[in-house]
Every structure is written in structure tokens, then in C-alpha cells.
């Protein structure tokens, strides 16, 4: 039953995200395609990846990844930041334009977390955080993300 419950929570987060993306199309505010939205999600999750890291995570050829990135740059959602140590390397950084877009969708996670803080006691929340950290660190080794920055 745990797998179904966890799947339901995961599905609700995905559906809320999709709902936010598609509502932008209806309002004609969106300039990102669905695929570009997914690409930006990957860039955000990887925390300023190189083009090679992005293409590897997306399982794309470097030219195909570069094409998608060029489109995102032209639309003003990502910028290339040249490495100070290796001038051949560029990092992908979401622009404020994308961060504003992203925060609208990401705000649902914050809302759910505020509800959890109101619903559960501090010990239960600490245990939930510990368990989720174990799931992320130990049980999902296939996906490597940068460490969480403390606020």
C-alpha cells in the first residue's frame, strides 16, 4: 500500500505542475513548449549544469541538447555563464524570467509543506525529513543532484 500512497502523492505533484504549465497556454502567456519546460526543470534540478551534464541527464546528443538550450537562451529563460577556470566550459543558469515562472509552479510544494507543518508535530516532521533524505540519498542512486543548500 505504501507504493500506491507514495505514487499518489508523486502523481498529485506532477499533475499540479502540468496544470500550471497548461494554464499558461490557455492564457497565452507561455512561451515555453512542454519539452522546454521539462528541460528547464532538469536545469533547475541540476543546479547550473554544464551543457554536457544537461545532455547526459536528458540522454540527448550534445548537438540536440545545444539546439534546445539555444532556444531557451533566445526566449530569455536561460543564460550561458562561462567558467572562470576553463574558458571552453559554460554553465546553464536560469534567468529571473524563468525563476518567476518556476516559483508559481513551485509554490504548491511550499503550500503542501506549510500544511504539513500545521498538521504534524515537530518529531513527525523530523522523521519524515529523515526518511525522505534516506530515500533520496540511498534508495535513488541513479539520479545524482547537487546537495541541498541550507536557507
Amino acid at each position: 500500500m505504501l507504493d500506491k500512497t507514495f505514487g499518489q502523492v508523486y502523481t498529485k505533484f506532477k499533475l499540479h505542475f502540468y496544470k500550471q504549465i497548461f494554464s499558461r497556454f490557455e492564457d497565452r502567456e507561455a512561451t515555453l513548449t512542454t519539452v522546454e519546460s521539462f528541460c528547464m526543470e532538469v536545469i533547475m534540478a541540476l543546479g547550473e549544469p554544464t551543457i554536457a551534464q544537461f545532455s547526459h541527464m536528458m540522454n540527448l546528443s550534445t548537438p540536440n541538447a545545444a539546439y534546445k538550450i539555444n532556444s531557451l537562451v533566445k526566449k530569455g529563460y536561460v543564460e550561458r555563464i562561462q567558467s572562470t577556470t576553463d574558458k571552453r566550459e559554460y554553465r546553464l543558469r536560469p534567468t529571473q524570467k524563468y525563476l518567476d515562472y518556476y516559483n508559481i509552479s513551485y509554490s504548491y510544494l511550499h503550500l503542501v509543506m506549510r500544511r504539513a507543518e500545521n498538521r504534524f508535530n515537530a518529531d513527525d516532521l523530523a522523521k519524515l525529513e529523515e526518511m525522505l533524505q534516506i530515500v533520496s540519498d540511498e534508495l535513488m542512486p541513479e539520479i545524482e543532484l547537487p546537495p541541498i543548500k541550507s536557507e
Side-chain angles (χ1 to χ4, degrees), residues 76-91:
Y77 288 104
V78 71
E79 59 186 342
R80 288 185 199 91
I81 307 298
Q82 190 173 33
S83 171
T84 55
T85 56
D86 182 351
K87 299 295 183 189
R88 298 169 296 168
E89 184 177 88
Y90 287 85
R91 297 223 161 252

Side-chain angles (χ1 to χ4, degrees), residues 122-135:
D123 290 340
D124 288 344
L125 288 170
K127 187 64 176 176
L128 176 61
E129 182 176 3
E130 176 188 355
M131 293 169 70
L132 289 173
Q133 195 65 55
I134 290 168
V135 169

Side-chain angles (χ1 to χ4, degrees), residues 11 53 73 86 103 114 120 135 144:
T11 297
Q53 290 168 328
V73 168
D86 182 351
N103 286 334
R114 297 303 75 79
F120 301 111
V135 169
E144 194 173 321

Side-chain angles (χ1 to χ4, degrees), residues 13-81:
F13 276 116
K14 284 191 307 184
L15 290 177
H16 187 271
F17 175 69
Y18 300 154
K19 183 178 171 183
Q20 293 300 312
I21 288 174
F22 286 107
S23 70
R24 303 248 177 211
F25 288 108
E26 190 156 304
D27 295 340
R28 299 189 189 278
E29 293 177 13
T31 58
L32 287 174
T33 66
T34 305
V35 170
E36 289 171 337
S37 294
F38 293 142
C39 290
M40 287 304 302
E41 282 287 308
V42 169
I43 292 168
M44 286 291 294
L46 295 177
E48 297 188 9
T50 63
I51 294 171
Q53 290 168 328
F54 170 77
S55 66
H56 177 74
M57 177 59 74
M58 296 293 286
N59 203 23
L60 295 170
S61 68
T62 303
N64 196 354
Y67 175 80
K68 290 180 180 356
I69 291 163
N70 286 338
S71 176
L72 293 167
V73 168
K74 284 179 189 170
K75 291 182 178 186
Y77 288 104
V78 71
E79 59 186 342
R80 288 185 199 91
I81 307 298

